[in-house]
Amino acid sequence: MSKRVRLCREDDIPDFCAQGFDPERHGFDTIFVVRQDRYYYAYADVCPHYGDTSLPWKKDEYLDAAGDNIVCAAHGALFNIRSGLCTSGPCKGESLRPIPVNCEADGYLWITLED
Amino acid sequence: MNIIGPDLLVFGVDDVDACRQFASDYGLTASGDHRFVALDGTGIEIRSKDDDALPAALETGSMLRKTLYGVADQATVDAIAAELEKDRDVTRFDDGSIESKDDHGFVLGFQVTVRQVLDMPAETINAPGAPAQRGVNQIAVSKEDSPKPRTLSHVVYFVPDAPKQEAFYRDRLGFVTTDRFTHVGPFMRPAGTQDHHTVFFIQTPPHMKGIEHFTFHMGGPTDVVTAGTNMVNKGYQSFWGPGRHIFGSNWFWYFKSPFGCNMEFDADMDLHDEQWAAREAMPGADNSQVFLLQYREKWAPMGPPPPKAGA
């Protein structure tokens, strides 16, 4: 079973920024979305290094200073924003788990979560 | 080799402002243009990764650029220089310090220590059967406590050849192995301190080479948990802890950081001398801690006032 969840308005995420979300109300962010112009990339907030720790050192701090890479703050792993592939760091060659995300006609971002 | 411990860790970071704010919120005090220090003067140096003043980065891009050790006296610095010059370049600076590299290419410096001798009480406890450490009417805690890191404690490195690293620190720099995780690597202390470890080396694939975490000693377990709670309340995210390790017995709480590694608070580490026989254990969660707690928001077993009888 899968379910669709409305996250936020498209423009709620500033351009070239990232934002974490807690769509299943765990009390902490479990996914994050990176915006690059009209494109949105969503991933599970889990670093593949240990497989059960989250990435940011502070809420929404998922990107490096230039906004070029996703960063895991635990050990500095870098991930390609579009593919989720780790290009440097402990989990080099592994990838973040992508979450399907769409901009709908209602102006909101929707994600699809698997049970 | 009377090496006391790390005086300074030099970082070349991606986001200087974030790192300076993090260091300040962690409890370190700004000192000069680039440094943040603990109460005894040991600390970290934060520079932009492009700063020409930095030693070159490791090929992996780890943000740690140099580990500067404090030693007892200039004669010790000179003795280390003479030892290392047998097989590698050693740079001598005008301030008397030297710089070289270990067998994995980590830049090391050695200087007469800047570490000031602290004269302040440890965290105190009262326990039945023992003399009270806090006298009558002396309270232990308040909600406003903001404990400061006391001294730079230890650094953990990912290294591709832990046995080679252990041999270099033992044979060339006089470090002693205090304990060991099988197939992972050794905890080591230099000859000038009794602290259980100032380094721990973790065997990893070569692409991981770099710093895993660093930490400062706090005044006790309450300081660790209070300082960590203050970090959580400022929005920083816990990585592991609070808890208490087995090897070293130190309390811990690790936070993710913009330094490309975790930054820990630790306290109450075991002391050892040459009589100690190193232990060995398999790595894993069960051997890494005696207990692990997890932060949650303040809560109390209190609901609304009870209804009046008969209402």
Side-chain angles (χ1 to χ4, degrees):
Chain A
M1 284 289 290
S2 63
K3 63 179 175 185
R4 301 184 76 237
V5 179
R6 194 175 77 170
L7 283 185
C8 64
R9 294 188 62 86
E10 292 175 27
D11 290 339
D12 286 347
I13 304 176
D15 203 3
F16 298 100
C17 290
Q19 196 166 313
F21 294 92
D22 179 18
E24 295 176 294
R25 299 181 186 278
H26 288 285
F28 51 87
D29 292 341
T30 55
I31 72 153
F32 65 98
V33 180
V34 186
R35 177 181 175 188
Q36 288 192 314
D37 195 10
R38 294 179 296 112
Y39 299 95
Y40 296 83
Y41 306 91
Y43 296 100
D45 188 358
V46 178
C47 179
H49 178 199
Y50 293 124
D52 57 0
T53 60
S54 61
L55 277 70
W57 52 272
K58 201 170 191 178
K59 177 161 174 57
D60 299 337
E61 295 287 350
Y62 292 93
L63 303 181
D64 60 13
D68 292 335
N69 296 280
I70 296 165
V71 180
C72 177
H75 299 115
L78 300 178
F79 300 86
N80 182 281
I81 292 174
R82 294 183 183 182
S83 68
L85 178 68
C86 179
T87 57
S88 170
C91 38
K92 187 175 182 178
E94 299 181 67
S95 293
L96 297 168
R97 183 166 65 83
I99 307 284
V101 58
N102 289 98
C103 311
E104 301 288 345
D106 60 2
Y108 282 82
L109 290 181
W110 290 76
I111 57 167
T112 305
L113 296 175
E114 303 295 332
D115 282 342
Chain B
M1 299 291 186
N2 196 351
I3 297 170
I4 296 165
D7 269 5
L8 183 74
L9 303 177
V10 180
F11 287 90
V13 304
D14 178 52
D15 190 335
V16 170
D17 290 342
C19 287
R20 292 181 64 89
Q21 185 66 51
F22 188 98
S24 175
D25 288 337
Y26 178 93
L28 301 176
T29 301
S31 171
D33 291 338
H34 303 287
R35 293 188 182 179
F36 284 80
V37 298
L39 294 178
D40 74 343
T42 58
I44 59 176
E45 184 168 305
I46 301 168
R47 291 178 181 271
S48 168
K49 61 187 177 186
D50 303 320
D51 193 321
D52 291 338
L54 290 168
L58 290 172
E59 63 276 14
T60 56
S62 179
M63 293 185 195
L64 179 67
R65 297 294 187 91
K66 181 175 179 176
T67 304
L68 179 55
Y69 282 97
V71 309
D73 47 39
Q74 190 61 40
T76 303
V77 177
D78 296 340
I80 294 168
E83 171 61 33
L84 296 181
E85 276 173 338
K86 290 177 182 173
D87 65 350
R88 66 198 69 207
D89 292 336
V90 175
T91 305
R92 295 166 190 268
F93 297 109
D94 291 342
D95 64 1
S97 71
I98 62 167
E99 184 175 294
S100 191
K101 290 181 180 177
D102 69 19
D103 282 349
H104 280 92
F106 286 100
V107 176
L108 303 179
F110 300 90
Q111 68 179 9
V112 177
T113 189
V114 299
R115 192 176 292 252
Q116 299 149 23
V117 176
L118 295 178
D119 182 12
M120 54 196 303
E123 183 177 318
T124 55
I125 64 167
N126 291 335
Q133 293 181 353
R134 279 192 320 283
V136 173
N137 299 327
Q138 289 185 5
I139 57 168
V141 293
S142 86
K143 288 194 290 185
E144 287 71 39
D145 288 342
S146 182
K148 296 279 191 189
R150 296 192 175 195
T151 186
L152 182 56
S153 163
H154 63 266
V155 187
V156 175
Y157 303 84
F158 288 137
V159 296
D161 190 340
K164 183 179 182 182
Q165 194 77 336
E166 180 178 15
F168 175 83
Y169 281 77
R170 179 190 64 221
D171 300 338
R172 309 297 298 279
L173 298 176
F175 282 54
V176 178
T177 296
T178 47
D179 283 320
R180 171 190 319 280
F181 278 127
T182 308
H183 306 311
V184 172
F187 295 85
M188 305 184 84
R189 65 174 180 84
T193 183
Q194 294 181 321
D195 264 3
H196 177 268
H197 61 281
T198 69
V199 292
F200 173 42
F201 297 114
I202 299 175
Q203 174 90 32
T204 62
H207 71 267
M208 291 176 65
K209 189 167 72 174
I211 184 170
E212 196 281 329
H213 81 262
F214 64 103
T215 180
F216 288 78
H217 282 319
M218 306 297 290
T222 307
D223 275 10
V224 168
V225 180
T226 301
T229 299
N230 291 346
M231 290 291 279
V232 171
N233 289 338
K234 288 175 179 168
Y236 297 105
Q237 297 209 353
S238 170
F239 180 75
W240 181 22
R244 191 165 196 183
H245 285 308
I246 297 174
F247 284 173
S249 299
N250 43 309
W251 290 74
F252 64 84
W253 196 349
Y254 300 82
F255 286 81
K256 292 173 285 181
S257 87
F259 292 87
C261 64
N262 290 305
M263 193 168 182
E264 181 196 358
F265 297 101
D266 94 276
D268 195 9
M269 183 180 269
D270 292 332
L271 302 178
H272 296 292
D273 63 13
E274 62 279 0
Q275 302 302 313
W276 176 250
R279 300 166 292 183
E280 179 162 346
M282 293 300 290
D286 191 48
N287 285 336
S288 291
Q289 56 226 314
V290 281
F291 50 76
L292 176 63
L293 314 174
Q294 193 140 21
Y295 177 85
R296 67 173 289 183
E297 270 187 52
K298 284 184 180 177
W299 176 89
M302 265 175 54
K308 289 176 183 170

